[in-house]
Amino acid sequence: MIELIDARSLILKTVQKTPVILKRLKETLNYVLTEDIKSDINYPPFTRSKMDGFAVCSKELIQVSPGNPLILEILETVQAGVNPNFPLKSDQTAKIMTGAPLPEGADAVVPFEEVSWQGSKAAFTQKITTGQHLSFEGEEIKKGQLVLTKDKIIGPGELVILALSGKEKVKVYSRPRTGILVTGEEITDVGKKLEKAKIRDTNSCMLAGQVKLSGGYPVSLGIAGDKKDEIAGIISSSLPELDLMITTGGAAAGEYDLTEEVFQSVGAEILFRRVAMKPGNYLVAAQKEGKFLFGLSGSPSGAFVS
Amino acid sequence: MIELIDARSLILKTVQKTPVILKRLKETLNYVLTEDIKSDINYPPFTRSKMDGFAVCSKELIQVSPGNPLILEILETVQAGVNPNFPLKSDQTAKIMTGAPLPEGADAVVPFEEVSWQGSKAAFTQKITTGQHLSFEGEEIKKGQLVLTKDKIIGPGELVILALSGKEKVKVYSRPRTGILVTGEEITDVGKKLEKAKIRDTNSCMLAGQVKLSGGYPVSLGIAGDKKDEIAGIISSSLPELDLMITTGGAAAGEYDLTEEVFQSVGAEILFRRVAMKPGNYLVAAQKEGKFLFGLSGSPSGAFVS
């Protein structure tokens, strides 16, 4: 019997990493990053407006008040996505939309609702702060900055950062291909007629579900009987193409020799036999060339917890 | 501005269910059940042993003690999966393996370690309880019993119950096909060169990830500019094949008329414009024939929270 925490650390010490693959960004949800990610640009990539309003040079507005307005000539409107190809002169302003780049000569934005304007003239009456309503180039991320570290699981937030950093393809660990083999003469496929003395296979689908939820790739190896040779044959022939192997059945008290013998007969080294938890304490763990073999109890609740 | 809780209840009141589909059990993880499930069998389907040991008739062992053993003749071994075709007589016992059906005439199991045996004779010296180490037919589930109710999300535990109940195919709601349309002249595909005044599309992958994690099926509708006609055209032509539609961009303060106008121009009814949360308060929600349209802010953090 081994404590759960020791079993876990033994596994983590022995486990081998799966191969590194290059995947398109949109397919990397729930994969694990294998590389540190640095941004290839400043973000925002240019200084831009956070409001719809007028781009102005703040020092021109130092003296204004409701009794002393500053009248500026309105140049064209700067749309988001369009680079303004004019510098603002001191008697000029430009309409600017949210997300649009600030024109040269401007250093602040005044929202539309704080300005009176008509035709090509805008009247400013309120003092403003330099830089107001702007988001500055590199304010959030500097070019070359480390934005994600390897071994991170990619969730929606990480997808944003990877997209920001221009990573169209991302290096990730392939999902561990996990073989699932259900053993026991009494086990019947769910779709087949249930004969006397038989029970239905409740473990294949459940374990495949747990493997998927844990980020693995389940590989169903079907249902085998109780014959050691048959089970060992399936394990030997499938293990080279797997990263991990789970069997159920043949791991309970009186009979756990079965799984243990089978694992040994395929050349695997037994790591531990029982874990201090309940249910799920009957669990044979072995490893062969860094690949894990787990022999779980046939009972659904025991297998579920393990 | 609408409170978050009111927004949610308005959505739940309006939302239409997606079509019901029949899926193979192994493909139903994270789907939502559309039918109540009743078991078609007792579970366990027969009374079986929980240990490896000897099947006995308990009343024969009433008088035994270490000084007064009862010697029984050992019949064949009952394996799991094999129906015993013999009744035990009063001077007989049978070896029985974990999971094997109890032979007729027996009503308890004595574990191997509590019995002395040699050849075809076994000596019992300890009193036992009727029914010990047995799991009885129908002990966990009765035939016809309601085991799962509709609208349940199918996780690994539900897969066990569905398998137990013989559901090889399961009726579930199809995953909501969720169109994702990113708008804004400044948005550039992550794989493309980032020109001046442009920013990368951080929202497509992130929203597709969130849709997947929520059990939906993301449908990328690409990137559109700021033209109302273009956006309305994409929505009109894709909505019939979708259950839900998400747009980003054009929903912020000064510009939220854009999304609202577009939604109205395709014949959708506006439900609310802003929600009391931050970030993500800029959110236009509309519905057309029970299908929802959500116009999110273009800012990744705002879109993420909405």
Side-chain angles (χ1 to χ4, degrees):
Chain A
M1 184 92 76
I2 184 171
E3 292 297 321
L4 184 56
I5 191 164
D6 297 332
R8 183 169 293 171
S9 72
L10 186 59
I11 291 168
L12 291 176
K13 215 174 65 187
T14 317
V15 69
Q16 274 191 346
K17 287 183 169 161
T18 56
V20 175
I21 53 174
L22 193 65
K23 279 195 93 73
R24 291 196 305 159
L25 179 60
K26 60 163 76 170
E27 293 163 354
T28 60
L29 182 70
N30 283 343
Y31 278 78
V32 176
L33 206 55
T34 68
E35 52 177 347
D36 289 338
I37 303 292
K38 291 178 177 178
S39 179
D40 67 335
I41 54 165
N42 286 319
Y43 189 83
F46 50 86
T47 297
R48 61 186 182 171
S49 180
K50 292 201 276 192
M51 302 285 280
D52 294 354
F54 287 96
V56 295
C57 175
S58 59
K59 73 170 192 286
E60 305 291 332
L61 276 72
I62 292 175
Q63 305 289 340
V64 302
S65 68
N68 181 30
L70 177 72
I71 313 289
L72 298 178
E73 185 202 352
I74 303 173
L75 287 178
E76 63 192 279
T77 301
V78 190
Q79 303 280 359
V82 180
N83 202 38
N85 53 5
F86 55 87
L88 277 188
K89 294 192 187 122
S90 61
D91 58 346
Q92 293 176 332
T93 183
K95 286 192 197 170
I96 187 167
M97 305 309 286
T98 305
L102 192 71
E104 205 183 309
D107 63 4
V109 167
V110 185
F112 282 144
E113 50 271 33
E114 297 174 11
V115 183
S116 316
W117 85 96
Q118 203 169 31
S120 64
K121 301 287 175 194
F124 297 83
T125 56
Q126 292 172 38
K127 287 190 181 59
I128 59 163
T129 319
T130 307
Q132 74 174 21
H133 304 308
L134 290 179
S135 123
F136 290 95
E137 179 176 345
E139 183 180 276
E140 294 184 40
I141 297 168
K142 298 274 180 294
K143 185 174 174 175
Q145 183 181 327
L146 182 70
V147 285
L148 283 176
T149 50
K150 64 176 176 176
D151 295 332
K152 203 143 182 83
I153 296 171
I154 299 171
E158 285 70 29
L159 289 173
V160 169
I161 297 173
L162 289 165
L164 271 186
S165 310
K167 298 296 293 185
E168 196 194 4
K169 291 184 174 179
V170 185
K171 282 186 190 155
V172 292
Y173 292 112
S174 64
R175 290 188 293 165
R177 284 160 303 174
T178 305
I180 297 168
L181 178 64
V182 173
T183 75
E185 296 294 341
E186 75 276 29
I187 311 293
T188 306
D189 195 84
V190 176
K192 295 218 177 103
K193 187 172 178 293
L194 192 63
E195 316 239 315
K196 261 197 143 173
K198 308 283 186 184
I199 56 170
R200 284 176 178 145
D201 171 22
T202 53
N203 288 341
S204 293
C205 280
M206 181 268 286
L207 288 171
Q210 290 198 317
V211 165
K212 270 187 218 164
L213 294 180
S214 311
Y217 183 84
V219 178
S220 172
L221 302 173
I223 302 169
D226 280 328
K227 310 269 181 309
K228 288 175 202 168
D229 288 356
E230 185 191 350
I231 303 171
I234 296 172
I235 296 177
S236 290
S237 65
S238 50
L239 199 58
E241 293 175 5
L242 299 172
D243 298 301
L244 195 74
M245 171 96 205
I246 296 173
T247 67
T248 74
E255 33 157 12
Y256 76 61
D257 298 337
L258 174 63
T259 301
E260 194 173 332
E261 272 180 44
V262 167
F263 284 177
Q264 282 171 331
S265 77
V266 301
E269 171 203 354
I270 304 295
L271 295 170
F272 50 84
R273 280 165 194 90
R274 290 183 67 180
V275 177
M277 59 181 180
K278 205 156 185 179
N281 56 343
Y282 295 117
L283 167 67
V284 183
Q287 69 95 13
K288 185 183 179 183
E289 293 154 18
K291 292 177 178 183
F292 277 94
L293 297 95
F294 292 105
L296 311 187
S297 155
S299 115
S301 56
F304 187 97
V305 174
S306 303
Chain B
M1 183 93 72
I2 183 171
E3 292 297 320
L4 183 56
I5 190 164
D6 298 331
R8 182 169 293 170
S9 73
L10 186 59
I11 291 168
L12 290 176
K13 215 175 63 187
T14 316
V15 70
Q16 275 191 345
K17 288 184 169 162
T18 57
V20 175
I21 52 174
L22 193 64
K23 279 196 93 74
R24 292 197 304 158
L25 179 60
K26 60 162 77 170
E27 292 164 355
T28 59
L29 182 70
N30 283 342
Y31 278 78
V32 176
L33 206 55
T34 68
E35 51 178 347
D36 289 337
I37 303 292
K38 291 178 179 177
S39 178
D40 67 336
I41 54 164
N42 285 319
Y43 189 82
F46 50 86
T47 297
R48 60 185 183 174
S49 180
K50 293 201 274 192
M51 303 286 279
D52 294 353
F54 287 96
V56 294
C57 174
S58 60
K59 74 169 190 287
E60 305 291 333
L61 275 74
I62 292 177
Q63 304 292 339
V64 302
S65 69
N68 181 31
L70 176 72
I71 313 291
L72 297 177
E73 184 204 351
I74 304 173
L75 289 177
E76 62 191 282
T77 301
V78 189
Q79 303 280 359
V82 179
N83 201 38
N85 53 5
F86 56 87
L88 277 189
K89 294 192 186 119
S90 61
D91 59 346
Q92 295 176 330
T93 183
K95 285 191 195 168
I96 187 166
M97 307 308 289
T98 304
L102 192 70
E104 206 183 309
D107 63 4
V109 167
V110 186
F112 282 143
E113 51 271 32
E114 297 173 12
V115 183
S116 316
W117 85 96
Q118 205 172 27
S120 66
K121 301 287 174 195
F124 296 84
T125 56
Q126 292 173 37
K127 288 191 181 60
I128 59 162
T129 318
T130 306
Q132 75 174 19
H133 303 308
L134 291 179
S135 122
F136 290 96
E137 179 176 344
E139 182 181 278
E140 295 184 40
I141 296 168
K142 297 273 179 295
K143 184 173 174 176
Q145 185 181 328
L146 183 70
V147 286
L148 283 176
T149 49
K150 64 176 178 177
D151 295 333
K152 200 139 184 87
I153 297 170
I154 299 172
E158 285 70 29
L159 290 174
V160 169
I161 297 173
L162 290 165
L164 271 186
S165 310
K167 299 296 292 185
E168 195 193 4
K169 292 186 173 177
V170 185
K171 282 185 189 154
V172 293
Y173 292 112
S174 64
R175 290 188 292 166
R177 283 160 305 173
T178 305
I180 298 168
L181 178 63
V182 173
T183 76
E185 297 294 341
E186 75 276 31
I187 311 293
T188 305
D189 195 84
V190 175
K192 296 218 176 104
K193 187 173 178 292
L194 192 63
E195 315 239 317
K196 260 197 143 170
K198 308 283 185 182
I199 56 170
R200 285 176 178 144
D201 171 20
T202 54
N203 288 341
S204 294
C205 280
M206 181 268 286
L207 288 172
Q210 289 198 319
V211 165
K212 270 187 219 165
L213 293 181
S214 311
Y217 184 84
V219 178
S220 172
L221 302 173
I223 302 169
D226 280 330
K227 310 272 181 306
K228 288 176 203 167
D229 288 354
E230 185 191 350
I231 302 170
I234 296 172
I235 295 177
S236 290
S237 66
S238 51
L239 198 58
E241 294 176 3
L242 299 172
D243 298 299
L244 195 75
M245 173 96 205
I246 296 172
T247 67
T248 75
E255 32 159 12
Y256 76 63
D257 298 337
L258 173 62
T259 302
E260 194 173 332
E261 272 180 44
V262 168
F263 284 177
Q264 282 169 331
S265 77
V266 300
E269 170 203 355
I270 304 295
L271 294 171
F272 52 85
R273 280 166 194 90
R274 288 183 68 177
V275 176
M277 59 181 180
K278 206 159 186 182
N281 56 342
Y282 296 116
L283 165 69
V284 183
Q287 69 95 12
K288 186 183 179 185
E289 294 154 17
K291 293 178 178 183
F292 276 94
L293 297 94
F294 292 104
L296 310 187
S297 155
S299 116
S301 56
F304 186 97
V305 175
S306 303

